[in-house]
Amino acid sequence: MIEEQEPDYRFTLANERTYLAYLRTALACYAGGLSAVQFLDLGPDRWPARIIGVVLVTAGIVITAGAFRRWQQNLAAMRQGGPLPVTRLPLMLGATIATVGLIGLLFSLWR
């Protein structure tokens, strides 16, 4: 059995701040997605706005779940004195935001 130890409180608080930053980002994705569906007028059927909205809200859900999982894994690694786990969450987040921005730009120019 691995002996757990209490990590330095500064690392615990830094892990918590990172978790809260991800939650703020997820909240921005929710707000952006709902705003896109409500206010963007990118065509007669508004399907581009719906696509952007669905992608952003889905990204927010994934970020919320991924952030909690990352927070838990980091805390467990710190308590066990092991390396922090690798995550793809920032890559996924960056790719999603870039894709949504590109979709919005293309449909704005197309219109």
Side-chain angles (χ1 to χ4, degrees):
M1 182 171 170
I2 298 175
E3 184 179 329
E4 290 192 5
Q5 55 186 344
E6 191 65 29
D8 186 336
Y9 71 92
R10 293 173 291 183
F11 299 127
T12 302
L13 293 174
N15 188 34
E16 192 173 301
R17 282 191 302 273
T18 303
Y19 173 62
L20 293 173
Y22 275 117
L23 291 182
R24 284 190 300 271
T25 304
L27 185 59
C29 284
Y30 296 141
L34 296 174
S35 296
V37 170
Q38 186 68 29
F39 299 114
L40 281 182
D41 185 16
L42 298 176
D45 296 332
R46 299 178 50 96
W47 62 267
R50 290 187 182 129
I51 290 173
I52 291 171
V54 167
V55 168
L56 284 174
V57 171
T58 302
I61 292 168
V62 170
I63 292 166
T64 300
F68 182 73
R69 180 174 161 88
R70 179 183 164 123
W71 173 72
Q72 283 184 320
Q73 289 176 334
N74 286 347
L75 188 59
M78 287 189 297
R79 288 181 184 273
Q80 296 169 0
L84 295 178
V86 177
T87 181
R88 292 189 180 125
L89 196 56
L91 177 62
M92 185 277 309
L93 178 59
T96 300
I97 291 173
T99 302
V100 166
L102 185 61
I103 291 169
L105 177 65
L106 291 175
F107 278 106
S108 293
L109 293 173
W110 178 53
R111 194 178 146 216

